[in-house]
Amino acid sequence: MAKRLVVLPGDGIGIEIVAEAEKVIQCLKDNYALNITVESGLVGGSAYDATGTPLPEETLRLVKSADAILLGAVGGYQWEALDIAVRPEKGLLGLRKELELFANLRPAMLYEELAHASSLKPELVSNLNIMIVRELTGGIYFGQPRGIRQLDNAEREGFNTLVYKESEIERIAHVAFDIAGKRNKKLCSVDKANVLEATELWREIVTDIAQSYPDVELSHMYVDNAAMQLVREPKQFDVILTTNMFGDILSDCAAMLTGSIGMLASASMNANGQGMYEPIHGSAPDIAGQNKANPLATILSVAMMLRYSLAETALADKVELAVKKVLAKGLRTADIHTPDCQLLTTSEMGDAVVAALIEIN
Ligand code: IPM
Ligand code: MG
C-alpha cells in the first residue's frame, strides 16, 4: 500500500526548499518505484494569514494519519508582533506536541568538500559526525505555569517553568542509548545539574538507565562546558543527549561546525515511528523568494524520512550519495560557495540532485 506523506512548506524559504525536495521525491517515484502519495498543508505564518491560526484543524487532521511529514520552516518578520499564542512558531510547537514527537535527532556531520566553510580549523572538524538527541515535547518549552504577570509594585514579571517527569527522561534516554549502541557507543548527557533540580533528576535517571546498556560508555557534562567543548574539541562527542532548550542551542552550535546550517537535516519521532522531518535552519526571511537558499538540508531530510519512517534504506543511501556527488562536482548554493566552485540557485541545486540520482540508477 502507498505510504502517505504530508508536506508542510510553511513560510519564507520553506516554500522554495520543500519544492526542491518534492522534485527529489517525484524522481524516486518515477525511477525507483517509491510508493508514496504526497498531500500538502498549511502551517506557520502562511496558515495564520489564510485561516487565523498557525496550526489549522485541517493540517492536524492531515498529519495525524500520515506516515511521515516533511516540514520546511516557519516564521518571518511580518508575524513577529503577533500575540505569542498565534505566532508561526506555535504552529511548529503544536505539531511536535500533538503528535508527541518527543525524540529530535539532529546529526551534525561534515561533508569533506565543505571543511573550508567551517569556522574551526579543518583538522578539528574533518570526519566530524555527532548526533544530538534533543528532548522535544517537554522542559521549559512547554512547562506550566508560564506567562507575563503584573506585580503589585507596578512592575511586570515574565516566567517559565522547567519541568521533567521521570517517564519523559526515561523514554528519550532509551532513544539516545539505542542510537549510541549503533554508533561509536559513547553517550554524553548534557544538563545543568549543579543548579537546576529538573536536570539533577535528569542526570539521576539517565545514570540508572545506563545499567541496561553496558556496552555504551556514559558521561555527563554541564551545558556551559558542553558549549565550550563543542568549539574546542568537537570530535570528542559521538552522541549527545540533552533537554529541549539546551538541545536547541547546542544543535545550532554543532551545525555551524559543519560549515553551513543549510546542510543539516533532522528527524522528530514519536513512539510509533511516525516522524516529522525538517531542515535545522529557519525560514530565512532575508533571502526568501530569491531562489538563493540551500535546499540540501531539506533533501537530506527526505533521506532521513526514507530511513526512519518509510523503511527505504537503499533509497535513503541513494539520496545521500546524490548529494555527495553534487558537492564533489563543485556545485554550490550561495551559503557554501567559494570562488573555485559553481554557484547555483535553489532550483538549479534541486535539479542537480535529481540528475545525480538518475545517474546513480
Ligand atoms: C528549532 C527552532 C524552533 C525551536 C523554533 C522555531 C520554535 O529553533 O527547531 O531549533 O526553538 O525549537
Ligand atoms: Mg533552534
Side-chain angles (χ1 to χ4, degrees):
M1 219 178 75
K3 296 270 174 66
R4 284 191 51 227
L5 166 65
V6 172
V7 296
L8 305 173
D11 309 319
I13 61 167
I15 293 154
E16 301 152 63
I17 56 182
V18 167
E20 300 314 308
E22 286 193 76
K23 281 186 193 164
V24 169
I25 292 163
Q26 190 58 47
C27 171
L28 294 173
K29 290 175 70 171
D30 295 345
N31 297 274
Y32 294 97
L34 176 65
N35 191 7
I36 200 171
T37 62
V38 183
E39 293 152 87
S40 66
L42 290 172
V43 71
S46 51
Y48 173 81
D49 288 347
T51 69
T53 159
L55 183 52
E57 279 301 320
E58 168 64 11
T59 300
L60 263 182
R61 195 186 55 74
L62 271 180
V63 296
K64 279 193 171 153
S65 55
D67 293 295
I69 302 141
L70 182 69
L71 185 125
V74 296
Y77 308 130
Q78 67 267 52
W79 302 291
E80 275 169 13
L82 288 176
D83 185 90
I84 194 166
V86 291
R87 265 182 228 154
E89 290 75 7
K90 272 284 181 239
L92 179 56
L93 296 172
L95 280 171
R96 290 173 180 170
K97 196 68 179 173
E98 288 284 337
L99 298 174
E100 269 212 81
L101 304 168
F102 70 90
N104 186 208
L105 316 184
R106 298 193 159 188
M109 60 172 271
L110 184 89
Y111 287 82
E112 290 308 310
E113 289 85 357
L114 303 182
H116 62 83
S118 173
S119 45
L120 295 192
K121 297 188 201 89
E123 64 269 25
L124 286 179
V125 291
S126 75
N127 296 315
L128 183 79
N129 188 341
I130 300 174
M131 175 66 91
I132 296 188
V133 179
R134 168 188 178 195
E135 198 292 324
L136 201 61
T137 51
I140 199 164
Y141 270 51
F142 294 96
Q144 294 289 347
R146 62 188 296 160
I148 300 174
R149 61 190 160 209
Q150 192 68 46
L151 298 177
D152 293 346
N153 59 7
E155 191 182 24
R156 287 179 309 156
E157 175 180 74
F159 57 103
N160 290 87
T161 307
L162 172 60
V163 275
Y164 269 115
K165 289 206 271 283
E166 289 184 327
S167 54
E168 289 176 298
I169 304 168
E170 279 163 13
R171 64 181 182 176
I172 191 69
H174 281 296
V175 170
F177 276 106
D178 278 336
I179 290 176
K182 293 184 193 131
R183 293 172 43 112
N184 292 331
K185 305 190 175 5
K186 275 173 57 187
L187 177 63
C188 179
S189 174
V190 173
D191 60 40
K192 189 72 186 173
N194 52 343
V195 178
L196 304 171
E197 288 85 348
T199 67
E200 189 186 340
L201 182 67
W202 176 282
R203 187 176 283 221
E204 187 188 315
I205 302 290
V206 173
T207 306
D208 285 351
I209 287 178
Q211 310 287 320
S212 320
Y213 299 87
D215 59 330
V216 176
E217 180 197 320
L218 172 67
S219 60
H220 302 276
M221 204 179 268
Y222 297 137
V223 64
D224 47 351
N225 187 24
M228 183 177 78
Q229 295 300 332
L230 266 176
V231 293
R232 193 186 76 90
E233 198 200 333
K235 282 193 269 181
Q236 69 185 281
F237 296 108
D238 176 21
V239 179
I240 292 176
L241 161 65
T242 193
T243 64
N244 202 342
M245 187 159 79
F246 295 162
D248 178 45
I249 299 165
L250 294 180
S251 62
D252 268 26
C253 175
M256 204 56 226
L257 303 177
T258 71
S260 170
I261 199 165
M263 292 297 301
L264 296 181
S266 77
S268 306
M269 316 284 301
N270 65 21
N272 311 320
Q274 197 189 20
M276 182 161 85
Y277 298 83
E278 51 178 311
I280 285 186
H281 61 73
S283 58
D286 54 324
I287 58 161
Q290 297 175 32
N291 203 14
K292 266 190 191 167
N294 185 349
L296 293 179
T298 316
I299 290 171
L300 290 166
S301 299
V302 171
M304 282 190 101
M305 173 181 88
L306 291 163
R307 199 180 297 286
Y308 291 113
S309 284
L310 304 179
E312 295 279 3
T313 314
L315 293 188
D317 289 344
K318 283 192 167 49
V319 171
E320 285 165 0
L321 181 63
V323 168
K324 285 207 180 93
K325 281 186 179 287
V326 162
L327 293 175
K329 282 185 195 155
L331 307 178
R332 304 280 191 273
T333 42
D335 57 321
I336 49 177
H337 182 251
T338 44
D340 52 326
C341 290
Q342 190 184 338
L343 180 63
L344 299 192
T345 63
T346 308
S347 50
E348 285 167 346
M349 184 55 102
D351 293 341
V353 175
V354 167
L357 255 181
I358 293 171
E359 234 174 73
I360 293 170
N361 200 348

